[in-house]
Amino acid sequence: MPKILHRINANKGSVNAAIYDASGEYVITGGQDKLITLRNAQTGKVVQQYEGQGWAIQGLAISQSGKRMVSCGEGRSVVLWDVGTCGVERKFTSGHSQRVDCVAVNGEATVVVSGSFDKTVAVWDTRSTQHVPMQVMDDASDGISSVVMTDMEIVSGSIDGSVRTYDVRMGKTIVDSLGQPVVSLS
């Protein structure tokens, strides 16, 4: 049986998202208390807290460098954070009509993908001055529960039992029907 290194007294209420940064030095949690908490993974001590999402946190993602982070939640918004300053860089509020359950980022968080209970996957360009997604995929028949992003593909898991792979270079979609809700991808 694995040994418990640290018991973290996490957020008040449920923890809906927990991720590690690329180095494994930090663990980041978000949940019902509307806070994002950055902790030292070795000691469990709080390094920083981020406020400003406004609603319960449903999903988190962090850039490869650890300089930018993205959160999403019940308020239908996606928030881009500067990890070092704890400041909100951008709030994307016009892409989804219901809560946003999951997010993913490319290497430096210049592109963000979000999945929503409204059955859509939205793609955001964080360098753009536009406040609307650069693309919306709306072919799911139920909520999007998980998204993953690579250099060439966006993959979404849906409660409708499908995994959809969007090839961004070729403009093609591959749908794998699993017959049961897909709640997590990695």
Side-chain angles (χ1 to χ4, degrees):
M1 184 158 154
K3 179 182 174 187
I4 296 173
L5 296 177
H6 303 286
R7 189 167 306 275
I8 297 174
N9 293 325
N11 310 47
K12 295 176 186 166
S14 66
V15 173
N16 299 333
I19 61 171
Y20 283 92
D21 75 324
S23 70
E25 291 181 48
Y26 301 100
V27 61
I28 305 157
T29 60
Q32 209 60 34
D33 62 3
K34 307 174 193 170
L35 292 174
I36 299 168
T37 304
L38 175 72
R39 291 182 175 82
N40 180 300
Q42 294 301 312
T43 66
K45 293 188 181 187
V46 173
V47 175
Q48 192 60 257
Q49 286 193 312
Y50 304 81
E51 296 182 62
Q53 180 80 32
W55 296 83
I57 308 297
Q58 294 295 111
L60 295 166
I62 191 163
S63 66
Q64 195 69 25
S65 68
K67 293 179 180 179
R68 298 172 106 188
M69 173 175 57
V70 178
S71 63
C72 65
E74 291 181 2
R76 303 186 313 261
S77 63
V78 175
V79 179
L80 176 66
W81 301 86
D82 181 307
V83 173
T85 66
C86 301
V88 172
E89 283 189 37
R90 298 261 320 254
K91 254 189 185 181
F92 301 101
T93 58
S94 61
H96 295 291
S97 62
Q98 295 183 34
R99 78 170 185 258
V100 184
D101 288 327
C102 50
V103 286
V105 296
N106 68 346
E108 286 309 309
T110 56
V111 176
V112 174
V113 175
S114 56
S116 173
F117 190 70
D118 69 4
K119 309 173 193 171
T120 65
V121 175
V123 184
W124 308 89
D125 181 349
T126 64
R127 298 168 293 191
S128 171
T129 58
Q130 298 293 315
H131 294 280
V132 294
M134 63 179 166
Q135 186 173 4
V136 176
M137 285 82 95
D138 61 357
D139 48 339
S141 61
D142 209 333
I144 305 298
S145 56
S146 187
V147 289
V148 175
M149 188 174 179
T150 69
D151 289 340
M152 309 296 181
E153 297 175 330
I154 296 167
V155 184
S156 69
S158 175
I159 302 303
D160 70 8
S162 296
V163 174
R164 289 174 179 79
T165 304
Y166 304 95
D167 184 324
V168 294
R169 291 179 307 145
M170 302 302 287
K172 292 184 178 180
T173 304
I174 298 170
V175 180
D176 293 306
S177 294
L178 304 180
Q180 296 295 323
V182 178
V183 296
S184 181
L185 300 171
S186 61

